[in-house]
Amino acid sequence: RGGGMWRAPRGGRRIILSILGGLRGNRGRILLNGWLIWLGDTLMNPNIILASFAARLGASPVLIGLVPALPLAGGLLPQALLVGWVARHGRKLPLYRRASAFRFAGLLLLVVVAAVLGAWPGLLLGVFLAGLFLFARSTAVASLPYWEVLAKAVPREERPGLFAAIYMGGGVLAFLAGFGVRALLGLDLPFPLGYALLFALGTLAYGAAWYVFGRVEEPEEEVAVGRTDLRLPLRRPGFRAYLTARLFLGLAGMVEPFYAAYAVRVLGKEAELGLYLALNALAFILSNALWSALARRGAKAVFLGGGVLVLATPLLALALPPGAFALVFFLQGAYLAALGIAGNTYLLNLAPPEERTATVGLANSFLGLFAFSPVLGGWVVGAWGYGALFLLSAGLAVLGLWAAQGGLRRQATVE
C-alpha cells in the first residue's frame, strides 16, 4: 500500500512458482490439457447442463437418466476389451489422437442439432443421444492411452503435485465458467440456442485440450508380449475392496442428474443452473484442503469422508427450502473431489507397471457396468417420485460407507 510491490505468502509463492515453472514441456501440456478439460466439463456438465437440456426437451425421467449415463458408461465399459490391444502398442499417442478426432465429431454433432433442430424436439433429442454415443465410444478408446502416456511421462513422485495443480487451476476456471453459463442461459434467446452456444464453447475447450495432450512427447516403452491377464488385479484384496466401495457409491450416484431436473421441473430454478455450477466448482476447490489433510491418513479416510457427503446430499435435497437448494450442488462438488482424488491416485499407485493397463481397464469397465444407474433412477422417479429416489440413494451410500470401512486398507496412501 505504501508503494512497495505486493508479495504473496511464502507458501503461496511456492505453489504459484511450482505451477508456473511447470508450464513447460510435458508437464505444461498435461496441465493445460487438464484445465481445458475442466472448462469443457463445466460448459457441458452431464448432470446439470445436459440433463436439464433433456428435461427442457420433454424427455422422460428414464431418458434424463440416460443422458449422463451414456458418456460415462460408453467411455468405461469397453475398456477391458481394449486392454490387450492397447498394451501391444509401444506408442499410445497415435491411438489417443485418432480417438479424439471422433470425440470431437460427436460433440460437433450436438452443437449443430441444438442450433437447427429446435422446432423438432423429438428429433433433436434422438440425434443428441446419437452424438453422445459417438463421443462415449471414442472416449473408451482414448482413455487407456491417456493414462498410459501420463504414467510414462510423469514420475510417480510428481503425480500428486500434478493432480493438485490440475484440480486447483481447473477448479478456478470451472468456478468462473459457472457465472458465464448463468449469463448465457439468461440471454433473451429462443430455446435451445443458449444451449447450442454452451455446447459450441464446450466443444472448443475439449478440442483444444485433446490437441494439447496429443503434443506430449511420449517416452518409448517396450511393447507387451503375450496376452494380458485380466485376472491378476482381482487377486489383490485391495483392488477387490476398491471395486466394492466404488460399486455402492456409484449406484448411489443414480440421483445426480435428477438434482438439476428437480431444480428445473419442480422448483423452477433453471436460471440458477449457472450458480449451481459455480458453487459445484467452488466446493471442489475449497474441499481439496480437507481431502489433502485426510490423505495423510490414507485413501480410506478420503473415501469415508466423500461417502459421508454422498449420504448427506440426497437427504438435504429433501429437507432444504427452494432458496437453499444450491447447497446440494456445493456438497456434490465436495464429494466428487474426494472420490476423484482417492479413486484415481489409489488406482494408479495400486498397480505395478506391468499390470497398469489391466488394472485401469478392468476397474473402469467394472464401474461402467453401473454407470447406467441413473436410468434406474429415472424409473424410480417415474414410479414413486423424487423423494423415493433421494432416499434410495442415501441407503446405497450407507452400503458404500460400510464397504469402505471394512475393506479398504488404511496404508494405501494417496500421497
Side-chain angles (χ1 to χ4, degrees), residues 292-306:
S292 296
L294 284 177
R296 299 189 187 99
R297 301 172 54 190
K300 182 175 181 177
V302 182
F303 266 109
L304 290 175

Side-chain angles (χ1 to χ4, degrees), residues 225-300:
V225 178
R227 185 175 179 178
T228 302
D229 190 350
L230 292 174
R231 295 171 297 179
L232 290 177
L234 292 172
R235 294 171 183 165
R236 295 195 301 274
F239 182 70
R240 295 197 301 270
Y242 166 85
L243 291 183
T244 305
R246 291 304 300 265
L247 160 63
F248 287 118
L249 292 177
L251 286 174
M254 70 170 66
V255 72
E256 290 179 355
F258 296 98
Y259 292 138
Y262 181 78
V264 170
R265 287 186 167 179
V266 178
L267 303 181
K269 295 287 187 179
E270 183 181 13
E272 300 301 315
L273 290 177
L275 174 63
Y276 296 158
L277 279 168
L279 288 174
N280 192 274
L282 179 63
F284 200 105
I285 299 169
L286 296 179
S287 65
N288 266 294
L290 170 64
W291 305 136
S292 296
L294 284 177
R296 299 189 187 99
R297 301 172 54 190
K300 182 175 181 177

